[in-house]
Amino acid sequence: MTATAMTVPAIGQEWPEQGGIFIGSRLVDGAVHHVIIPGGKEFDLADVEFDHLAAAIDERGEVNGHSDWRAPDQEDIMLAYINVPDLFDKDDWYWTNKPYGSYDAWAVLFENGGVSNWDRSNEFRVRPVRSIIA
């Protein structure tokens, strides 16, 4: 789905047609993608191991009328930290979908924007995202 002929809301505002809150835009392979989260902390999946990210999101199924939610890239989660940090739990780590070596993966702490690699067996939060091409 493309965002042509759509009005993009201000960052941090609801975008009902797209299923959530617009957190910003980023370049992916030369194309601008608008990134959306389904809402606040109530949409977190808690206690998820890295290797089960995709399955946990798939298991949740459709959210706010959309079924193309995915685990966030590092860039997605940093957009969230920069633009809408109050919509995330400050006391917990959030997985990105980015592996680090064979046994670790990257996660972000919203208390201070810290990024660290953690053993994939740790259980952290994940906030699904979706994006549409501008």
Side-chain angles (χ1 to χ4, degrees):
M1 172 180 269
T2 64
T4 52
M6 291 187 194
T7 302
V8 178
I11 290 173
Q13 299 301 305
E14 291 281 337
W15 197 351
E17 304 86 8
Q18 297 304 330
I21 298 170
F22 174 56
I23 65 168
S25 300
R26 56 182 281 249
L27 284 176
V28 179
D29 297 326
V32 175
H33 286 242
H34 299 308
V35 183
I36 298 102
I37 58 173
K41 293 178 242 184
E42 68 275 14
F43 290 95
D44 285 351
L45 298 168
D47 304 325
V48 178
E49 288 185 24
F50 178 82
D51 290 335
H52 299 131
L53 289 177
I57 292 169
D58 286 346
E59 187 176 301
R60 173 171 273 173
E62 187 175 292
V63 177
N64 297 338
H66 295 273
S67 58
D68 59 346
W69 299 98
R70 59 179 171 74
D73 297 335
Q74 274 184 292
E75 294 86 352
D76 296 324
I77 206 82
M78 293 314 295
L79 262 181
Y81 174 73
I82 292 165
N83 292 329
V84 293
D86 293 339
L87 297 178
F88 288 77
D89 187 325
K90 303 260 194 262
D91 297 324
D92 207 351
W93 288 87
Y94 283 81
W95 283 122
T96 73
N97 67 4
K98 177 100 171 141
Y100 178 82
S102 299
Y103 302 104
D104 292 351
W106 291 105
V108 174
L109 180 63
F110 274 77
E111 178 182 15
N112 59 13
V115 178
S116 187
N117 58 300
W118 289 88
D119 186 283
R120 294 180 188 191
S121 65
N122 282 297
E123 294 182 343
F124 295 142
R125 292 175 178 268
V126 62
R127 177 81 53 87
V129 300
R130 63 186 301 269
S131 59
I132 56 171
I133 299 172

